[in-house]
Amino acid sequence: MSPKAVIFKKLSRDKSVGVYMAKRDFVDHCDSVDPIDGVVLLDPVQVKGKKVYITLSCSFRYGRDDSDVLGMAFRRDIFVSTRQVFPALQDRDKATHTKIQKNMLRKLGDNAYPFFFEFPDNLPCSVALHPGVSDVGKQCAVEFEVKAFCTEGPDDKIIKRSSARLAIRKIQYAPVDSKVIPTAETTFEFLMSDKPLHLQATLTKEVYYHGEPISVSVNIVNSTNRTLKAITVAVEQITNVVLYSNDKYVKSVAAEETTDTIPPGTTLKKEYSLTPTLQTVSKGRRGLALDGKLKHQDTNLASSSIVKEEVLREVQGMLVSYRVVIRGIASGMIGSSEVNLEVPFKLMHPKPAPDTESEAEDMVFEEFKRVCLKGLTGEEEEDDEDKAGDA
């Protein structure tokens, strides 16, 4: 039996327009980005001679919609592109770019019209910060959305019940292995001690996949007259909010508190294994960067940000990075001192096998719902907005 292609659909409340797409994730390959293609289905009776448009937008949200400081709303459209799909401005065959579009047009009939967008190469990837328990409203996030609507003109006020919004993601997969072995070392000197403390940490590779154990080799040479204890090995996620502010969130996503003690004049060579996942963060999730997936059961930690050198950091909204941190307390006769060492690495998704289902003739239509983590934007919240906008 031939495979069936899953088609995601989202209809407006008044059923005047609907958006149909074969995928919601679009990959940034660093040198190029997957284009967006789909179909808009319209009801000619509901449209009533109006025009139908499709919009691709990328927005950065920093807190709730009604939050503002000195009159400045904490929301910014990073990119917006609007195109007219009805009445069609070009021949339907010329506006069709992919085989899956042809299949959808044949399945949906004469009232279906294709659309096609290409991402600019300077846009960020999807990412969202986990809200706190007491946070209300939409979270801090970089979001992408495809929206179909019908109005008299592209600049007219959009009636929400006559628009269909479908959230999508822009993601990155792990680059080709660079063969770089991350390592770091440092030396600490203390008062009343003639010799130093030498600390070294090495990882097995630069890029790890989500859910993959991270092996950390630690080598400590304690030539001092102090005892090193309370050694902790942790993986930390660092998120820099660079668009509106210089907020910085540092969250521990995996940690091991050891009982290892290194007396004066001794050494320690040991390997530790840590697996950072969303599930390992049992508390203090507020400010944790997630990868922006649309269904809560699929949500995981955000991937490391890979930004081209020529792209402005401020346009990226949020930048995510990871590091392994080794910490310890060197205690002696005249007090204690904290020692630490950091080793950066990348946490990403592996590149999947090529998708062949998009070429399938048979299609299954799935109603699209924006279901996210508790406290994040959900379908019910959208419906409430629609009712408020229609009032």
Side-chain angles (χ1 to χ4, degrees):
M1 181 181 293
S2 60
K4 293 184 178 181
V6 176
I7 306 299
F8 301 99
K9 69 174 183 178
K10 188 67 179 291
L11 303 178
S12 62
R13 290 170 61 85
D14 62 5
K15 305 297 189 292
S16 61
V17 294
V19 180
Y20 292 75
M21 298 179 66
K23 61 181 182 178
R24 298 168 296 171
D25 290 349
F26 299 87
V27 181
D28 184 343
H29 304 278
C30 290
D31 57 345
S32 64
V33 185
D34 292 346
I36 299 174
D37 63 280
V39 168
V40 174
L41 179 66
L42 60 90
D43 182 342
V45 176
Q46 289 282 350
V47 171
K48 298 177 182 178
K50 296 180 181 179
K51 296 179 180 179
V52 177
Y53 301 91
I54 189 80
T55 294
L56 168 65
S57 63
C58 170
S59 62
F60 174 76
R61 187 188 309 279
Y62 190 46
R64 299 173 54 186
D65 285 334
D66 57 358
S67 297
D68 64 85
V69 175
L70 299 178
M72 181 183 69
F74 280 76
R75 185 184 186 280
R76 174 180 172 183
D77 288 327
I78 300 175
F79 173 79
V80 178
S81 178
T82 302
R83 294 176 182 173
Q84 179 179 315
V85 294
F86 175 82
L89 298 180
Q90 60 177 321
D91 182 81
R92 193 158 102 158
D93 290 338
K94 292 182 179 180
T96 304
H97 291 77
T98 62
K99 184 176 180 180
I100 192 65
Q101 276 185 312
K102 294 180 181 178
N103 294 339
M104 284 193 285
L105 292 171
R106 184 171 60 252
K107 183 80 172 180
L108 296 174
D110 294 336
N111 293 320
Y113 295 84
F115 66 86
F116 185 85
F117 288 101
E118 290 184 316
F119 283 103
D121 60 3
N122 63 340
L123 294 183
C125 289
S126 300
V127 63
L129 294 187
H130 197 294
V133 176
S134 60
D135 290 343
V136 179
K138 296 184 177 181
Q139 80 282 23
C140 181
V142 173
E143 300 173 322
F144 288 85
E145 182 180 78
V146 172
K147 177 167 65 177
F149 59 94
C150 60
T151 57
E152 297 289 346
D155 299 325
D156 292 351
K157 182 180 179 180
I158 299 173
I159 300 175
K160 290 188 177 181
R161 66 174 179 271
S162 299
S163 65
R165 299 179 292 163
L166 199 156
I168 61 174
R169 287 197 315 153
K170 178 173 175 284
I171 59 177
Q172 284 180 322
Y173 291 126
V176 177
D177 190 0
S178 63
K179 305 300 182 182
V180 173
I181 304 299
T183 185
E185 58 183 319
T186 188
T187 299
F188 295 90
E189 296 182 348
F190 305 105
L191 187 65
M192 305 296 292
S193 180
D194 295 334
K195 295 182 179 179
L197 170 71
H198 185 74
L199 179 60
Q200 182 183 41
T202 304
L203 308 183
T204 55
K205 56 183 179 178
E206 183 184 19
V207 179
Y208 288 88
Y209 300 146
H210 289 282
E212 181 181 7
I214 299 174
S215 179
V216 186
S217 297
V218 177
N219 182 18
I220 301 174
V221 179
N222 184 11
S223 302
T224 70
N225 56 9
R226 297 192 176 200
T227 298
L228 186 63
K229 56 185 180 180
I231 299 173
T232 300
V233 182
V235 175
E236 293 182 345
Q237 178 196 77
I238 306 95
T239 305
N240 288 282
V241 181
V242 296
L243 187 57
Y244 275 125
S245 67
N246 289 319
D247 284 0
K248 183 176 182 179
Y249 297 89
V250 180
K251 311 294 291 187
S252 176
V253 293
E256 180 178 345
E257 296 180 356
T258 75
T259 57
D260 298 324
T261 299
I262 310 173
T266 63
T267 62
L268 173 71
K269 289 185 178 181
K270 190 173 181 178
E271 284 199 2
Y272 301 91
S273 181
L274 300 171
T275 306
T277 65
L278 179 58
Q279 289 69 33
T280 60
V281 186
S282 58
K283 59 182 179 179
R285 288 188 176 184
R286 185 179 187 276
L288 190 67
L290 309 178
D291 72 352
K293 280 197 174 181
L294 307 172
K295 292 189 177 182
H296 68 279
Q297 63 265 31
D298 294 330
T299 301
N300 51 250
L301 299 174
S303 296
S304 300
S305 302
I306 299 180
V307 183
K308 298 178 183 178
E309 293 183 1
E310 64 272 17
V311 174
L312 293 174
R313 285 169 52 90
E314 290 75 13
V315 181
Q316 300 302 300
M318 287 183 282
L319 297 175
V320 180
S321 60
Y322 290 88
R323 66 191 180 196
V324 171
V325 183
I326 296 93
R327 293 187 175 90
I329 300 295
S331 58
M333 296 291 294
I334 57 173
S336 301
S337 301
E338 181 178 316
V339 298
N340 62 79
L341 180 65
E342 301 175 359
V343 187
F345 69 96
K346 293 182 176 66
L347 183 65
M348 306 192 74
H349 290 286
K351 188 175 182 179
D355 183 15
T356 58
E357 291 190 4
S358 61
E359 301 299 319
E361 297 288 339
D362 295 333
M363 292 176 285
V364 176
F365 294 94
E366 178 179 308
E367 187 71 27
F368 180 84
K369 291 183 180 293
R370 274 182 82 168
V371 182
C372 301
L373 287 173
K374 182 178 180 181
L376 276 69
T377 304
E379 188 70 21
E380 294 181 0
E381 191 173 294
E382 287 189 1
D383 289 343
D384 291 340
E385 291 179 0
D386 290 342
K387 294 175 183 176
D390 296 339

